[in-house]
Amino acid sequence: MRILVIEDDTKIASFLEKGLKEAGFSVDSRGDGQAGLALALGFSYDAAIVDLMLPGLDGLAVIETMRAKNVNTPVLILSARQSVDDRIQGLQRGGDDYMVKPFALQELEARLQV
């Protein structure tokens, strides 16, 4: 599976990239919304992991633009925003799944496989 990670926290991005690669995934990673969106629009991915609080273009704008451009890549939102309203908004605006930080890598991998 080819996964796109859009996460500005370098520690989390590195952890995701390393863990997912060890699990057999191919991973591309970007640290800001604009760069991540460019990859999402230019390449085919089996899934994307998108943080909401990104520099440049926030995660919801990335997801909405993907959907407006008919990019149907499944999106797992990975965010520190944990209120029910945040989760509902993320799903209503184009996310397919939502996980709150901190997270267990094994659970994230299982959700990607689904």
Side-chain angles (χ1 to χ4, degrees), residues 1-4 39-50 63 66-67 69-76 94-97 112:
M1 278 181 85
R2 188 172 184 193
I3 307 296
L4 173 61
L39 283 182
L41 298 178
F43 298 94
S44 178
Y45 291 95
D46 296 300
I49 300 169
V50 180
I63 296 166
M66 288 171 63
R67 299 306 185 228
K69 303 264 185 190
N70 295 316
V71 175
N72 295 315
T73 302
V75 174
L76 186 154
D96 296 287
D97 198 357
L112 288 174

Side-chain angles (χ1 to χ4, degrees), residues 78-98:
L78 183 63
S79 179
R81 294 183 187 169
Q82 58 185 327
S83 76
V84 172
D85 288 340
D86 289 326
R87 289 179 276 159
I88 290 170
Q89 183 180 38
L91 296 170
Q92 289 178 334
R93 292 177 65 183
D96 296 287
D97 198 357
Y98 197 114

Side-chain angles (χ1 to χ4, degrees), residues 15-28 105 109:
F15 173 74
L16 284 169
E17 192 169 347
K18 182 180 179 209
L20 291 172
K21 284 181 178 180
E22 287 176 0
F25 295 92
S26 173
V27 181
D28 292 331
L105 185 60
E109 290 172 11

